Amino acid sequence: MTDHPFAEVADNLATVEQQLFTAPQERLPELCLHTAKKVITACRANPDAALAYIKLVDSSATSSFSLRACITVTSLGILQRTNEHTLQHILAALVAVQACADKPQEQAFARLRPLSVFCRQRGLEIWSDLLTIRKALVHPDGVKLLQRPTLSRWQQLGLVATYLARHLARQSLYGCFKPLATVHTSAPYQAMLGSLLKSLSEVSPGSWVNANNQQALVLAVSGNHTAIQRRSELSAGSNGALTGEHQWVPTLSLQPWSAAPLPFHQWWQYYCACQPNRDASGPGAFPVVFPVNRPPSSLLKIIDALQLPDTDISELSGMVEREPVFSQFLREAASNDNRLQLPVGNVKQAILTYGTERVGDMLTQRALSQRLTQHQFPLLAQCQTLAVVAAGIAGLLSTHTRTRFTSQSAALVTSLLCAPLFMLPALKVMTTLPFKRQAGIQMKDWFTLKESQQWPALVSDLAQGWHQSPTWRALLHHAGKHPDDVPRSLRKEHALLLLSVVWARSWLFANSQAAESVAGAITASLDVLSLQPDVEKTLRHDLAPQLLCPLVN
């Protein structure tokens, strides 16, 4: 291990400060984004060191407020489950601001003002919003700006992070958070603070703790356990040397210990000597990132059991019961769906309510939705609403016509078709869905994005990774075509998919006009399904409670 885990990051920040006033305007975003990527990579590689760095004083030559601010923003963003592409842009804007922090105000304004305009013209609203509050981000009293109710989520994150970077290493945790809690009282902001306070608790890397009446230093966190290194002497106030071994103990068994914190470089020396990450058995200090392109292994085992012709329901129920998220979801769904709405108390009853095929589709859609929405980005709520409404239309439409779809399989396949909404990097940094003035029937042609042309390939890979049947994969391959151009064997299911996504877009985004070809495709799809046009009004009435498009946060 190196003498300092963030030495390379510090060098990159120094390079940005040197080049910010000499590089061409159009190269500045790329320069800052490159540095931001380095910071995120370093923090993910050293999560315990990142959390310790926030709380401990660093007196080494590597130290700078810019480095502390960047590590703090990155750590808080990861703890808040911010999408990494979104976080990279938040951090890049902060890098630009911090690079100008020591420059005369006129010189900094002359460089950052054109950069703000440049970014806004290219749809980089995150940059322009953070550059707008650049003075508050570098001012010791900038936290007062949090009183504004119009601040975006990433502006709040930037202000909170720079405040903590300035004060947390020299104040107690709760003393530092008190001004933050009183300056703004909205529910989302208070929820963010509560989450951060829990993550930066007094039993976190760099803290002194009481372990069975012995003073110990926290080195690492893994799941519900904490790696500590005890002092060799037990008396209060002892300056005994630390032992050479670490020990993993339950986090709940530890209590804070009031003592002067170690400097960061000394904590890092102990960490390197013990290397607690070698024998960690659980997830690290940062939230686990789950892959989107495949389902959880536990779900695959359940799906395989569901597909067996002689499935033992009791054994299957036991497999689902061992996954609390799935079992609770099934019980709640079955309780809401039975005619008398009687509470369903066990998984076996829920499985018998739906049948094995439907249960498999329900669990798959649930897991897919959780993985697609595991990270926050500005348009998450809007993308989620569009996908949920489209899946809802598909599920209801399947009850009005005869196809091979069940309500559950129709909703699942539609969810797969909408999945790239959560996967395209460009949508992670925008605050408005970039619909074309006239949108066609192919979702890849709805947006003014070059990378939206990847849509069919993303859907195809996702369907294969999530073990969908050859029939549904073939159906998704033909999605977006006119019904007349689809094989007859798939035409009904294709028509249902087409109506679901086109109606969802038109209901939620009235400013997105349909191209002339869409009307013909809708008519043809209704004919294929033997439905009348007034079925749209019926479905819209049934889904009315879901037809709201959330504001960007």
Side-chain angles (χ1 to χ4, degrees):
M1 295 190 177
T2 62
D3 293 337
H4 198 291
F6 305 114
E8 184 179 354
V9 170
D11 292 341
N12 274 271
L13 290 171
T15 301
V16 171
E17 292 180 11
Q18 295 171 1
Q19 297 184 3
L20 189 69
F21 289 87
T22 58
Q25 184 76 51
E26 61 274 9
R27 278 207 62 239
L28 291 184
E30 179 186 352
L31 179 66
C32 295
L33 283 169
H34 174 74
T35 300
K37 183 66 175 177
K38 292 281 189 182
V39 178
I40 294 172
T41 301
C43 288
R44 283 215 175 271
N46 302 282
D48 297 305
L51 292 180
Y53 194 83
I54 295 174
K55 301 172 67 172
L56 302 179
V57 173
D58 182 15
S59 56
S60 69
T62 303
S63 176
S64 69
F65 179 75
S66 178
L67 176 62
R68 181 173 293 275
C70 288
I71 292 175
T72 306
V73 167
T74 304
S75 300
L76 299 194
I78 294 174
L79 291 171
Q80 288 288 293
R81 294 186 176 275
T82 305
N83 174 270
E84 190 160 308
H85 198 68
T86 307
L87 180 58
Q88 186 180 357
H89 280 256
I90 294 172
L91 186 56
L94 182 66
V95 167
V97 171
Q98 292 297 331
C100 294
D102 296 331
K103 304 294 182 182
Q105 185 173 336
E106 297 78 9
Q107 188 178 0
F109 180 82
R111 192 54 167 160
L112 294 181
R113 174 61 180 169
L115 178 60
S116 178
V117 174
F118 177 85
C119 292
R120 189 174 293 277
Q121 290 173 345
R122 283 154 180 78
L124 301 176
E125 289 91 347
I126 290 176
W127 284 71
S128 54
D129 283 356
L130 286 169
L131 292 173
T132 299
I133 62 168
R134 57 188 178 275
K135 291 182 181 178
L137 289 172
V138 298
H139 196 279
D141 295 327
V143 70
K144 294 179 180 178
L145 192 66
L146 284 168
Q147 296 173 349
R148 287 189 183 179
T150 56
L151 291 180
S152 65
R153 181 171 182 164
W154 48 92
Q155 286 176 318
Q156 290 179 344
L157 177 63
L159 288 169
V160 169
T162 51
Y163 172 82
L164 293 178
R166 197 177 301 276
H167 298 286
L168 190 55
R170 292 173 173 82
Q171 294 184 18
S172 69
L173 183 66
Y174 294 100
C176 199
F177 267 79
K178 186 175 180 179
L180 294 175
T182 57
V183 75
H184 193 73
T185 58
S186 72
Y189 173 79
Q190 291 293 327
M192 178 183 75
L193 285 189
S195 173
L196 293 178
L197 189 59
K198 181 179 179 181
S199 301
L200 297 174
S201 70
E202 293 180 332
V203 182
S204 62
S207 304
W208 288 111
V209 292
N210 183 337
N212 292 329
N213 296 322
Q214 295 184 34
Q215 185 179 356
L217 179 66
V218 175
L219 297 176
V221 175
S222 179
N224 296 323
H225 287 74
T226 298
I228 61 171
Q229 194 175 19
R230 302 176 188 271
R231 280 196 180 274
S232 58
E233 298 181 10
L234 307 179
S235 58
S238 169
N239 292 321
L242 291 170
T243 62
E245 298 295 332
H246 69 280
Q247 179 183 3
W248 286 97
V249 299
T251 302
L252 293 178
S253 68
L254 303 174
Q255 297 294 327
W257 182 291
S258 180
L262 292 176
F264 175 78
H265 72 274
Q266 189 174 350
W267 174 89
W268 179 243
Q269 289 174 357
Y270 292 134
Y271 185 92
C272 292
C274 293
Q275 297 187 31
N277 54 323
R278 292 179 306 173
D279 53 0
S281 57
F286 287 155
V288 177
V289 178
F290 297 103
V292 173
N293 59 352
R294 65 177 185 272
S297 57
S298 58
L299 178 60
L300 285 180
K301 294 177 182 177
I302 294 172
I303 292 175
D304 289 342
L306 287 167
Q307 293 174 348
L308 293 175
D310 55 347
T311 301
D312 184 292
I313 299 298
S314 297
E315 183 178 343
L316 175 63
S317 301
M319 294 175 65
V320 178
E321 284 282 5
R322 287 192 286 273
E323 301 296 329
V325 174
F326 293 153
S327 61
Q328 181 180 356
F329 165 68
L330 274 184
R331 289 196 302 269
E332 290 177 354
S335 299
N336 293 329
D337 283 353
N338 69 73
R339 292 184 179 181
L340 298 178
Q341 292 199 340
L342 298 174
V344 173
N346 60 72
V347 170
K348 184 175 182 179
Q349 187 180 352
I351 293 175
L352 293 174
T353 299
Y354 290 108
T356 55
E357 180 183 353
R358 293 171 184 259
V359 164
D361 290 333
M362 291 172 65
L363 293 180
T364 301
Q365 185 185 8
R366 177 72 170 182
L368 175 65
S369 175
Q370 287 178 330
R371 295 212 163 181
L372 289 173
T373 59
Q374 64 183 308
H375 292 124
Q376 300 288 327
F377 59 96
L379 288 173
L380 174 62
Q382 290 194 14
C383 292
Q384 194 168 10
T385 300
L386 177 55
V388 167
V389 170
I393 295 172
L396 288 177
L397 200 54
S398 67
T399 66
H400 287 261
T401 186
R402 295 179 63 86
T403 68
R404 283 173 291 183
F405 275 141
T406 63
S407 296
Q408 291 76 16
S409 61
L412 171 58
V413 174
T414 306
S415 297
L416 286 165
L417 181 59
C418 296
L421 286 168
F422 307 90
M423 301 169 70
L424 295 176
L427 292 180
K428 302 299 191 301
V429 296
M430 294 183 172
T431 57
T432 305
L433 283 171
F435 283 113
K436 292 180 180 178
R437 175 165 292 187
Q438 287 196 330
I441 58 177
Q442 295 195 54
M443 294 188 77
K444 73 180 182 69
D445 294 330
W446 286 5
F447 305 104
T448 57
L449 298 174
K450 290 182 180 179
E451 62 183 29
S452 65
Q453 299 305 308
Q454 305 169 15
W455 202 289
L458 290 172
V459 172
S460 177
D461 292 344
L462 207 58
Q464 184 171 357
W466 283 76
H467 293 213
Q468 295 303 292
S469 68
T471 301
W472 295 157
R473 296 209 303 268
L475 175 63
L476 290 167
H477 174 74
H478 291 287
K481 295 182 179 179
H482 191 280
D484 295 341
D485 299 328
V486 177
R488 188 173 298 276
S489 61
L490 297 172
R491 199 165 289 175
K492 285 188 175 183
E493 292 76 20
H494 170 273
L496 188 146
L497 275 186
L498 186 149
L499 292 175
S500 299
V501 295
V502 169
W503 282 346
R505 185 199 66 222
S506 65
W507 296 356
L508 291 170
F509 303 96
N511 60 340
S512 175
Q513 300 177 358
E516 294 181 6
S517 59
V518 174
I522 290 175
T523 301
S525 297
L526 290 170
D527 289 343
V528 169
L529 296 172
S530 301
L531 295 173
Q532 297 300 316
D534 59 1
V535 72
E536 181 182 1
K537 294 182 181 179
T538 302
L539 297 178
R540 188 165 184 169
H541 178 268
D542 292 340
L543 291 170
Q546 299 181 27
L547 299 184
L548 56 93
C549 212
L551 297 174
V552 172
N553 183 15

